[in-house]
Amino acid sequence: MSAATVIADDAEALAAAAELAADFRKDAAERDAQRRLPHAELERLSASGLLAVTVPAEFGGADVRTDTLAEIFRLLAAADASLAQIPQSHFVYVGVLRRQGTHEQQEFFFGEVLRGKRLGNAQSEAGTKHVQDIRTRLTPRPDGSYLLDGVKNYSTGALFADWIPVLTRADDDALHVAYVPRDAPGLTVVDDWDGMGQRTTASGTVRLESVPVPADRVLPHHLTFQSPQLHGALAQLMHAAIDAGIASGALAEAVEFVRTKSRPWFESVEEGHETAAEDPLLIQRFGELAIQVRAADALLAAAARSVDAARAELTDDSAAEASIAVAAAKVTAAEAAVEVASALFEVSGTRSALDSLRLHRHWRDARTHTLHDPARWKVQHIGRYVLNGTRPPRHGLL
């Protein structure tokens, strides 16, 4: 891989994201149809410098605003929701390094990221009691290093990664993150993801069998949750941006289809409307859908500003406010993604259901991605906060 561009500021980051999104959109339906994994596209993403935009300025990064990061994800997801999902964990674990890494760890890994290296993820486990029941174990060795054992599922980005951050527990059950090279002995990535949506994320299985890990590649992630934190808010904000992008992309496809391919309903023609785009009932429905998309975008931007405000002065109260703002954005964006992607067929008519048109990828992506964590619990925490002033929990999913 050639050297990556080092992006200087927010404006440059947004311009790069818009340019890549326009190119990625062209073959997104074909990649989905053939399940062609986006190796070449990810190389372009790395070379663009976008993966390094949250590296702190003291280490040479642009350290962009949170609303810029959210907009990068929204733009990419509007073009290809699978591609947008792949770097989400990358930014999550760059954030873990910012919070819990030593200066030496930060210097090394931020240098890797600035050179275009990608971080994957080995986080979730299937078949355990619940999502935070982590069974993967980090076992100390006499020389101070560790061995890592476990099986991870839904490991988005791992197949394409240079480094795979692994969520694990130590002997004392405390949560840690081990940053493991993709080619480490004992580490196997299995491309067995067969989801109906986000088909090209390669969110498969990672097997860890006595993987050696030096002590300086392990971070104490449990410390993140012992004080006010934005770990969960940032992670969830990127998910909200992906949902908002899916909604936006689906609406754009619906507009194009109705303008260029849909026939008007005969009763509409009898009332003097010669094209589908002139049908007052369709106009009404597009207005409703546009309002949903705008609401999702507005709440996304407001949540990003709340995260930046909390970062500037991090307290229990500011962290809670940021988490609640992000939760509201995530619930709204998830609803918009599923509703608009489904309504695409409602407004476009029978022909839009043809498999060859691949319009259903938006709904499949929306329905798959919005299962990531339940919106109903976010609504609960919003209600508790508004009604009783109860701050949301520090578990990393808010």
Side-chain angles (χ1 to χ4, degrees):
M1 183 178 65
S2 57
T5 297
V6 177
I7 287 176
D9 54 31
D10 295 74
E12 187 178 347
L14 291 171
E19 181 179 353
L20 283 178
D23 284 347
F24 292 163
R25 181 178 291 108
K26 296 172 186 175
D27 298 323
E30 180 185 345
R31 282 192 297 275
D32 173 82
Q34 299 176 0
R35 197 178 176 269
R36 177 167 61 80
L37 300 183
H39 292 284
E41 290 77 12
L42 285 170
E43 288 299 313
R44 288 191 61 194
L45 185 63
S46 290
S48 74
L50 281 174
L51 296 181
V53 295
T54 59
V55 170
E58 65 179 293
F59 292 94
D63 201 9
V64 299
R65 299 187 309 272
T66 304
D67 63 334
T68 296
L69 181 63
E71 181 64 4
I72 289 169
F73 273 87
R74 194 193 69 81
L75 288 168
L76 292 175
D80 184 336
S82 287
L83 257 174
Q85 180 65 38
I86 292 167
Q88 191 267 348
S89 291
H90 170 94
F91 285 101
V92 166
Y93 287 104
V94 168
V96 171
L97 285 160
R98 286 185 67 143
R99 285 182 295 276
Q100 300 302 340
T102 65
H103 182 83
E104 290 75 17
Q105 288 171 327
Q106 291 173 341
E107 193 168 50
F108 174 77
F109 280 109
F110 291 155
E112 289 281 275
V113 171
L114 285 165
R115 286 188 288 274
K117 301 291 187 179
R118 294 188 290 270
L119 307 182
N121 121 72
Q123 181 169 283
S124 295
E125 299 178 14
T128 58
K129 186 173 182 179
H130 51 74
V131 72
Q132 296 212 347
D133 180 17
I134 303 298
R135 307 286 176 86
T136 300
R137 282 298 182 268
L138 198 61
T139 305
R141 304 170 81 184
D143 64 358
S145 66
Y146 299 91
L147 290 178
L148 192 57
D149 290 275
V151 178
K152 297 292 188 176
N153 306 91
Y154 314 121
S155 301
T156 303
L159 192 68
F160 313 106
D162 299 288
W163 291 89
I164 301 179
V166 180
L167 198 62
T168 180
R169 294 193 185 276
D171 279 355
D172 61 358
D173 212 39
L175 202 61
H176 290 72
V177 176
Y179 288 71
V180 182
R182 168 69 176 80
D183 58 358
L187 188 154
T188 306
V189 180
V190 184
D191 180 21
D192 57 358
W193 169 242
D194 65 349
M196 68 172 182
Q198 294 198 301
R199 299 185 66 223
T200 60
T201 60
S203 300
T205 301
V206 172
R207 301 187 185 281
L208 305 144
E209 299 175 295
S210 297
V211 177
V213 184
D216 63 356
R217 296 292 181 260
V218 178
L219 277 70
H221 192 35
H222 60 282
L223 298 180
T224 300
F225 308 104
Q226 294 181 5
S227 59
Q229 52 82 35
L230 297 170
H231 172 82
L234 278 165
Q236 290 295 306
L237 185 77
M238 288 182 277
H239 284 307
I242 292 169
D243 289 339
I246 292 172
S248 177
L251 182 60
E253 288 252 39
V255 167
E256 177 66 16
F257 195 95
V258 170
R259 284 177 175 172
T260 62
K261 296 182 178 67
S262 291
R263 296 182 298 176
W265 183 243
F266 75 94
E267 290 174 288
S268 178
V269 174
E270 289 174 353
E271 293 185 0
H273 308 295
E274 293 299 319
T275 68
E278 296 171 6
D279 184 332
L281 299 180
L282 281 180
I283 289 171
Q284 174 72 19
R285 188 66 175 124
F286 271 97
E288 293 167 350
L289 297 175
I291 289 168
Q292 281 191 278
V293 171
R294 284 174 176 257
D297 291 349
L299 284 175
L300 180 69
R305 291 192 297 270
S306 184
V307 169
D308 274 338
R311 179 180 284 161
E313 189 175 350
L314 189 57
T315 65
D316 281 325
D317 287 338
S318 67
E321 181 59 35
S323 289
I324 293 300
V326 171
K330 179 68 170 66
V331 170
T332 303
E335 291 174 349
V338 173
E339 172 71 13
V340 177
S342 177
L344 188 161
F345 303 99
E346 170 197 335
V347 297
S348 299
T350 306
R351 184 182 173 190
S352 64
L354 292 176
D355 186 64
S356 59
L357 295 177
R358 309 304 295 177
L359 294 175
H360 48 65
R361 72 182 175 92
H362 299 288
W363 184 86
R364 289 185 290 101
D365 286 343
R367 188 63 281 176
T368 301
H369 183 257
T370 55
L371 298 175
H372 189 275
D373 47 87
R376 59 187 177 273
W377 274 98
K378 297 186 190 319
V379 175
Q380 276 285 308
H381 290 304
I382 293 168
R384 293 171 184 178
Y385 181 75
V386 170
L387 187 59
N388 299 316
T390 305
R391 297 189 189 106
R394 296 176 184 160
H395 55 41
L397 292 173
L398 275 171

